Amino acid sequence: MAAQSMAAALAASLPAAAATPAPAAPTYEAIPASMSKVIDVEADIQLTSVQLDGLVVAKILKHAREVSSIANAHGLLLGLDLDGTLEVSNSFPLPHHLADDDEKSSKSVARYQTSMLRSLKEVQADDGVVGFYQTSSLGAFFSQNLVDTQALHQDKLRHGGVVVVHDVSQTTRGNPSFRAFRLTPQFLDAYKKTNFSTTSLANHQLTFSTILEEIPLKIRTNPLLKSFLGELATPTGSPLTDATPDKATVSAIPPSFSALNLNSGSSTRNLEQITETLDNYRTEEGNIGYITRVIAREKAKAEAHMAKRKEENADRISKGLAPLPEEDAYRLFKIPNEPSRLESMLLLGQLDALAKSLGQTSATSLVKLYGATAGSG
Amino acid sequence: MPSEDTKERIAKVVDVTRTVMHYGWIPLIIYVGFTRSNPQPSLINRTPTSITIHPVALFSILDHYLRRKDDQPRVIGTLLGTRTTSSSDSSTSENEIHVHSSFAVLHSENSEQVAVDMEYHRTMYELHTKVHPKDVIVGWYSTGGEGNLNTYSALIQNFYGQETAPNMAVHVNLSTGLEEGSQAGVKGYVSSPVGVFPKPENCVFVPIPVHLQFERSGVDLLTSTAQLPSSISSQPISELESLESSLQNVSEMLDRVLGYVRSVLSGEVKGDPALGRYLMDTLGTSTDDLEKGGFTSRLQDTLTFSYLSNLVRSQAEVSSRLALVTS
């Protein structure tokens, strides 16, 4: 009853409670209004924002840099939620598992996860899993893997968990970006039914933009980190007496102006990726088209059979014979299930994100171009 | 006059001394050379000469320090990273230690004894190698500035020396700057034994240089966040915003230079010729080559990109809407 007595103590310290003497026995049924935002057992308070600690930012950046650009780095986020803000205070990377021996690797990942959490708990670190992070390049983070993991988390974790997406290509341009997402309820509903046919999509009003909803993300540095960074960035006099003016002061973190770099880079790679995704999308569309045609053909066959059977039956009835059963007709023809549109939807989402990132890059480089000519003119 | 007996005895002593000197001289020189030189050379030259540390390791240490128990004056943990040996000259080889990350280790110390949870340390190391197979244990860290280098530090150093054998363990001491009169900072040490008989609790911590290695943009983001009064910044920052802040920064610096130049011209401050030359070199850079054709072609490229990206996006949108149409 530590929380209750704490609540009582806090209620007693409030001015309103001080005027009327607080009852000696703590009330057990109602949580005081002042604590209702802190004690949130049932996770009733909706998440409104995600707050990343500086440590987590550094860890994700490091992990993203270490993993090659083809594979996406991913790891778990640890933290707590408080009054609608999900405070992510720690993270650890997950081992990159290969596609083969899936069964074995997933087991070892699970074992790794549990023993890591136990170890972190021993040194008083947060050990509540609140989501996971994934790195992507050029904004294309939509993937089957991400959706699967997040759907799994949304069931298991408190508040459903979040996914934090980090864009590597923006980091190399000097502007690291972190975004937090969560699956929308309508997508989750469709996902649980594993029904991504056209009618289901239309019922749930799903397009690629309604798969995920974004949660505002903030970055926070704790006061200790703040003072430490400040100390590192403070320039001190060089030990050399005859240093040139550009070397007269040294600091562990010199100021940088990478944002002023005129070369925006990576446009070619961006275009290549767009073409690649377009090709994939075409293939996927071809598959869907093929299956749709097969369905139409089989349906036509079945209907023709039915019409024939009806005719036959009418004939038989007129002749005074017992009619043949009609319902087995559909069983004679194997009509395939309607194709899942999830894959093509995800590909479209990827395409959109890639194009968006290209658009942003070109917009910035336009500004830089005009700025540079104005400066030199 | 000494007797014949005494003479013979002296001759014998001289003879023995000569033999001892003959065989003992070189070992003596080596011994003196070993104990007097600094830093201590080891038989295999593996003494680290510098430490390069990644901010993640430092931030983890700070986080660990924040989460320490009340009765813990300092926290310790393991440093993980790689060793590189590059021989810059023929005679001296550089032994650099790259610290990539760190993890906290449980320990307790009081006036009588010090205990380190070795099992925890091993478990964490095994977990870490699953993700980063190349990283090895390179040393340990503790918080609390130079004043905290005591006998226990020597004992822990000895323990980590066994873990990193045959290489030497390094020690990184991070001062959080929270105690009065101490400045936040990072110092690196290697240890060398002192005394005639090597004992684990006797050692000298020899300072070695520490460098910081980081992803530029990540640290920029954190420092800019730290400079805000609320120390909370929201994401994502658009590229134009970061460009704008950079430009403002440059503009402020230009103003400062302008102020200095004006005050030199008006004679208030005596001009520094080195500074003047430097300013001329920096600001006199020609931007003529930007004009020649580069601009137009670049502009056309960029506009094409922009057009293409908009086209692809609208097509994707249309396509996703069309998928919803049921027959």
Side-chain angles (χ1 to χ4, degrees):
Chain A
M1 285 294 109
Q4 288 287 359
S5 60
M6 195 172 83
L10 218 105
S13 70
L14 288 173
T20 56
T27 49
Y28 285 109
E29 54 272 21
I31 296 170
S34 61
M35 296 299 283
S36 65
K37 291 193 165 177
V38 187
I39 303 170
D40 181 22
V41 185
E42 299 293 327
D44 290 328
I45 301 172
Q46 274 290 314
L47 285 186
T48 50
S49 67
V50 175
Q51 183 177 297
L52 284 191
D53 202 74
L55 173 67
V56 181
V57 170
K59 276 191 172 175
I60 296 177
L61 281 172
K62 173 173 174 274
H63 192 196
R65 194 187 47 129
E66 283 169 353
V67 175
S68 61
S69 56
I70 314 144
N72 290 337
H74 51 114
L76 284 184
L77 301 172
L78 310 171
L80 286 172
D81 60 298
L82 181 67
D83 191 15
T85 305
L86 187 69
E87 295 180 0
V88 182
S89 64
N90 207 340
S91 73
F92 63 87
L94 286 176
H96 179 69
H97 51 83
L98 300 161
D100 51 320
D101 63 349
D102 252 341
E103 179 75 7
K104 214 170 142 193
S105 74
S106 68
K107 257 187 199 162
S108 85
V109 166
R111 220 174 18 242
Y112 166 81
Q113 211 168 310
T114 43
S115 54
M116 188 62 136
L117 287 175
R118 204 172 45 235
S119 305
L120 284 175
K121 192 176 181 170
E122 280 189 52
V123 286
Q124 286 95 44
D126 280 336
D127 67 331
V129 180
V130 292
F132 72 106
Y133 67 83
Q134 179 167 331
T135 62
S136 67
S137 129
L138 297 165
F141 54 84
F142 275 107
S143 70
Q144 187 82 42
N145 197 357
L146 179 133
V147 170
D148 284 346
T149 321
Q150 181 59 19
L152 191 74
H153 278 188
Q154 210 122 3
D155 270 350
K156 278 206 235 156
L157 301 181
R158 189 179 149 84
H159 283 307
V162 292
V163 49
V164 168
V165 175
H166 166 61
D167 195 334
V168 184
S169 56
Q170 285 216 323
T171 312
T172 51
R173 289 208 298 269
N175 181 24
S177 90
F178 292 89
R179 298 166 81 191
F181 291 98
R182 158 172 73 177
L183 294 179
T184 52
Q186 61 259 41
F187 178 81
L188 204 64
D189 190 41
Y191 186 87
K192 271 185 190 149
K193 290 176 190 152
T194 53
N195 184 3
F196 287 105
S197 61
T198 319
T199 38
S200 160
L201 288 190
N203 285 342
H204 289 103
Q205 299 191 323
L206 276 179
T207 61
F208 58 83
S209 50
T210 51
I211 294 179
L212 297 169
E213 55 180 340
E214 188 163 0
I215 311 170
L217 188 140
K218 290 179 287 191
I219 288 173
R220 176 177 182 269
T221 54
N222 60 47
L224 189 62
L225 185 58
K226 185 175 172 171
S227 76
F228 193 78
L229 280 173
E231 194 71 43
L232 285 184
T234 314
T236 49
S238 166
L240 302 171
T241 46
D242 57 343
T244 50
D246 57 334
K247 286 179 186 141
T249 57
V250 281
S251 80
I253 306 176
S256 86
F257 296 95
S258 54
L260 295 178
N261 193 350
L262 282 182
N263 184 15
S264 309
S266 75
S267 295
T268 335
R269 173 138 182 73
N270 205 333
L271 276 178
E272 272 169 18
Q273 289 209 347
I274 288 182
T275 342
E276 205 175 296
T277 320
L278 262 178
D279 280 347
N280 289 345
Y281 179 69
R282 267 187 59 89
T283 322
E284 185 60 30
E285 279 293 278
N287 286 343
I288 290 180
Y290 173 74
I291 298 175
T292 324
R293 276 199 300 281
V294 168
I295 291 173
R297 203 164 56 226
E298 293 292 317
K299 266 193 179 156
K301 266 190 202 168
E303 258 150 39
H305 180 84
M306 283 293 289
K308 207 174 149 201
R309 179 60 61 87
K310 265 184 189 158
E311 235 170 66
E312 219 174 320
N313 278 348
D315 208 26
R316 284 170 78 101
I317 288 167
S318 66
K319 281 180 185 166
L321 290 166
L324 291 167
E326 284 185 6
E327 59 269 17
D328 69 330
Y330 278 105
R331 256 181 282 144
L332 286 175
F333 301 95
K334 275 185 242 147
I335 298 176
N337 290 328
E338 214 184 319
S340 161
R341 298 237 171 206
L342 178 62
E343 183 66 35
S344 71
M345 196 160 68
L346 290 175
L347 280 172
L348 271 183
Q350 227 175 70
L351 201 59
D352 180 70
L354 285 171
K356 197 175 169 188
S357 124
L358 181 64
Q360 277 171 351
T361 320
S362 47
T364 323
S365 56
L366 265 185
V367 171
K368 282 181 186 168
L369 265 179
Y370 276 108
T373 38
S376 64
Chain B
M1 272 302 281
S3 68
E4 201 73 349
D5 200 356
T6 330
K7 255 188 197 169
E8 201 175 327
R9 205 170 279 167
I10 288 173
K12 219 175 222 170
V13 168
V14 168
D15 203 20
V16 168
T17 319
R18 191 177 286 158
T19 322
V20 167
M21 290 279 271
H22 181 256
Y23 290 106
W25 183 247
I26 288 169
L28 179 78
I29 292 292
I30 290 174
Y31 177 70
V32 170
F34 255 74
T35 47
R36 296 284 164 83
S37 62
N38 190 15
Q40 185 94 18
S42 63
L43 288 178
I44 357 158
N45 185 19
R46 283 194 193 277
T47 315
T49 46
S50 73
I51 302 174
T52 308
I53 198 161
H54 193 276
V56 164
L58 295 181
F59 295 171
S60 303
I61 300 172
L62 288 175
D63 189 64
H64 184 199
Y65 184 73
L66 267 184
R67 292 169 186 281
R68 75 194 188 282
K69 286 179 191 148
D70 276 346
D71 55 344
Q72 275 183 308
R74 65 169 177 179
V75 292
I76 69 160
T78 305
L79 298 174
L80 296 160
T82 51
R83 293 186 184 82
T84 49
T85 310
S86 60
S87 42
S88 51
D89 298 336
S90 53
S91 56
T92 60
S93 62
E94 297 273 315
N95 275 305
E96 271 185 47
I97 301 241
H98 287 264
V99 177
H100 294 153
S101 60
S102 66
F103 61 81
V105 170
L106 292 167
H107 92 297
S108 66
E109 55 185 307
N110 52 31
S111 54
E112 280 134 34
Q113 58 170 346
V114 59
V116 179
D117 193 339
M118 284 169 63
E119 201 180 321
Y120 182 83
H121 161 80
R122 295 262 158 75
T123 319
M124 276 304 272
Y125 175 59
E126 268 167 33
L127 288 176
H128 188 88
T129 45
K130 279 194 183 157
V131 185
H132 306 282
K134 281 179 193 155
D135 286 2
V136 292
I137 301 172
V138 292
W140 65 292
Y141 70 79
S142 86
T143 57
E146 277 170 88
N148 262 349
L149 288 177
N150 50 22
T151 317
Y152 293 156
S153 299
L155 283 173
I156 301 169
Q157 173 77 15
N158 183 50
F159 161 69
Y160 275 97
Q162 287 161 12
E163 290 286 308
T164 59
N167 300 296
M168 282 174 80
V170 293
H171 172 50
V172 166
N173 196 311
L174 183 137
S175 173
T176 48
L178 288 187
E179 288 111 42
E180 189 134 346
S182 71
Q183 249 197 341
V186 185
K187 290 200 167 66
Y189 300 93
V190 289
S191 70
S192 81
V194 296
V196 184
F197 305 107
K199 277 193 214 161
E201 63 264 37
N202 292 344
C203 84
V204 176
F205 283 97
V206 184
I208 55 173
V210 180
H211 308 286
L212 202 60
Q213 172 216 37
F214 45 82
E215 291 96 10
R216 186 69 251 187
S217 46
V219 173
D220 280 350
L221 174 69
L222 289 181
T223 39
S224 63
T225 308
Q227 277 158 8
L228 299 172
S230 62
S231 59
I232 290 176
S233 70
S234 55
Q235 278 272 328
I237 309 162
S238 77
E239 281 188 54
L240 279 182
E241 276 174 54
S242 70
L243 182 67
E244 189 193 352
S245 68
S246 290
L247 283 176
Q248 269 171 355
N249 212 336
V250 170
S251 154
E252 273 165 30
M253 291 201 293
L254 283 177
D255 282 347
R256 216 159 65 217
V257 169
L258 196 65
Y260 172 74
V261 170
R262 282 211 179 111
S263 63
V264 168
L265 285 181
S266 66
E268 288 166 34
V269 183
K270 196 179 172 294
D272 183 349
L275 203 59
R277 173 62 62 118
Y278 179 69
L279 282 180
M280 200 167 87
D281 284 351
T282 312
L283 299 176
T285 319
S286 161
T287 50
D288 286 344
D289 48 343
L290 266 177
E291 303 280 311
K292 288 168 192 156
F295 177 71
T296 0
S297 69
R298 193 64 202 276
L299 186 67
Q300 277 167 355
D301 283 357
T302 318
L303 285 174
T304 318
F305 283 154
S306 183
Y307 171 71
L308 261 177
S309 75
N310 283 326
L311 193 68
V312 169
R313 284 194 76 187
S314 35
Q315 290 279 356
E317 192 64 43
V318 167
S319 166
S320 75
R321 301 278 157 178
L322 281 181
L324 295 184
V325 177
T326 45
S327 50

